[in-house]
Amino acid sequence: MASPVAFAHDFPFDPAYGYTAPEQLLRIPAPPAPADFEVFWRDRYARARAVDTQPVLGPVEEEREGVRIHGITYTSVGGVRLGGWLARPAEGPVRYGFVVGHGYGGRQEPGRDLPPLPGSAAILPCVRGMGERGRADSIPDLAAEHVLHGIGSRESYVIGDCVADLWCAASALTAVVPELAGAGHSGGPRLGYLGESFGGGLGALALPWDDRFGAAQLTVPTFGNHPLRLTLPCAGSGEAVRAYHREHPEAADVLRYFDAATAATRLELPTLVAAALFDPSVPPPGQFAVYNVLAGERELQVLSAGHFPYRGMTAEAAELDANRTRFFGERLTASG
């Protein structure tokens, strides 16, 4: 199968999946939602919002680019205590707030994921099972095992609890940053969300139900169009799901509730999506499915590849950084 971009690789499959032009990818739909899809997610959201997150802000661990970075811990659904980092301006008030999701494999340090706008505070949580600060009893930390944890039912599937971890992270952020306490209320600020890969898919699932957010950016989001993903070989966690599904076809009924593209049909926030034409870990058709069905204002940046090093990657990343700053700057209203 021809690839729209000529990358040499040694994968036993085509990471472009035979799509030779972006126009083909832009026609991929979302699968239909279960009848109680919205009821299921609104109930989970209500339970997460009822959690007393009891955030504890630790000492400064790092300071760079005018930002101080603290450790933070908070409580999520089920009484699970999670950790991560909180970044805030070294000087001056907080004007914007962000929740920043991580990729599959977790987050071992804050990295380069600092707030995209000056005067921002951001929480960088480690969802349950992922990374040293997200460790939880009985939940595996390897992506191929984590993605199957609890998949026997929609109530026990770990992905639902990871989404709740993001909602609780937003609660912790607004609790420790006074300027953001009014997020979601009339006249209050709206938060931004950033998520890549695993974090992109979780964001698509989390954001339609949470009125504290005002805009989002999803980069190479996973979990889009599960029925199609189950037919596509890959090098990421999706391959573990495919193998499990072959032995347990009933898992498809559970996956219907955790489809990022299905959720995106309810996502009305302005959303910037960066989707790749070539990606061995997250098949591009699923990424584009999330973008294609967004219910609100949307913007697309097409990347040559995802989860794969390539010449020109640095320039495309810089372009995405600039687009992100412009996008949130135009769509989020400063507090105060």
Side-chain angles (χ1 to χ4, degrees):
M1 291 184 289
S3 184
V5 280
F7 293 129
H9 66 86
D10 57 4
F11 296 102
F13 58 89
D14 172 21
Y17 300 89
Y19 293 87
T20 58
E23 290 74 19
Q24 294 173 294
L25 291 162
L26 289 168
R27 293 195 290 267
I28 296 170
D36 58 348
F37 184 80
E38 292 194 17
V39 171
F40 172 75
W41 280 109
R42 292 191 187 281
D43 177 67
R44 295 200 75 138
Y45 175 65
R47 283 184 271 160
R49 286 300 303 272
V51 171
D52 179 2
T53 58
Q54 304 176 57
V56 175
L57 195 63
V60 174
E61 298 183 9
E62 184 181 352
E63 183 169 340
R64 56 186 160 98
E65 301 175 39
V67 173
R68 289 194 181 119
I69 303 172
H70 301 253
I72 189 171
T73 59
Y74 69 97
T75 299
S76 186
V77 295
V80 174
R81 193 76 182 167
L82 298 171
W85 290 266
L86 185 130
R88 59 183 305 155
E91 297 181 2
V94 171
R95 303 175 66 233
Y96 305 96
F98 289 88
V99 175
V100 185
H102 57 70
Y104 234 149
R107 188 194 303 279
Q108 311 306 323
E109 58 184 7
R112 65 186 296 271
D113 288 333
L114 294 180
L117 297 177
S120 295
I123 188 168
L124 294 79
C126 296
V127 301
R128 64 189 63 204
M130 291 279 99
E132 186 64 34
R133 299 190 183 191
R135 294 201 184 281
D137 291 344
S138 80
I139 301 178
D141 60 359
L142 295 176
E145 298 174 12
H146 184 277
V147 76
L148 299 179
H149 187 74
I151 200 172
S153 80
R154 64 179 192 175
E155 290 298 336
S156 62
Y157 192 25
V158 72
I159 301 305
D161 286 336
C162 289
V163 170
D165 294 340
L166 295 180
W167 289 325
C168 290
S171 298
L173 173 67
T174 58
V176 298
V177 181
E179 296 95 329
L180 302 176
H185 298 291
S186 178
R190 290 293 188 273
L191 306 176
Y193 180 81
L194 299 168
E196 183 170 347
S197 191
F198 177 60
L202 292 182
L205 291 166
L207 293 169
W209 329 109
D210 195 334
D211 60 6
R212 294 174 295 179
F213 289 86
Q217 190 231 311
L218 311 176
T219 300
V220 294
T222 191
F223 305 138
N225 198 324
H226 277 302
L228 179 57
R229 280 167 53 89
L230 289 170
T231 70
L232 303 175
C234 69
S237 64
E239 194 60 26
V241 175
R242 277 168 36 85
Y244 183 88
H245 175 258
R246 285 194 291 270
E247 300 296 324
H248 305 274
E250 68 278 7
D253 292 332
V254 174
L255 292 172
R256 294 181 69 203
Y257 289 90
F258 301 92
D259 196 300
T262 302
T265 65
R266 277 80 171 164
L267 179 48
E268 299 179 352
L269 302 181
T271 303
L272 168 64
V273 174
L277 300 174
F278 177 104
D279 193 324
S281 294
V282 179
Q287 299 178 32
F288 276 83
V290 172
Y291 169 77
N292 292 341
V293 299
L294 286 166
E297 178 190 354
R298 60 184 184 170
E299 188 173 317
L300 175 67
Q301 179 174 333
V302 176
L303 304 175
S304 297
H307 300 91
F308 187 83
Y310 60 96
R311 182 175 296 175
M313 181 171 62
T314 300
E316 287 192 357
E319 181 183 0
L320 181 57
D321 285 348
N323 279 339
R324 173 187 300 128
T325 299
R326 172 194 52 78
F327 182 83
F328 283 115
E330 292 173 350
R331 289 160 182 84
L332 291 183
T333 302
S335 65

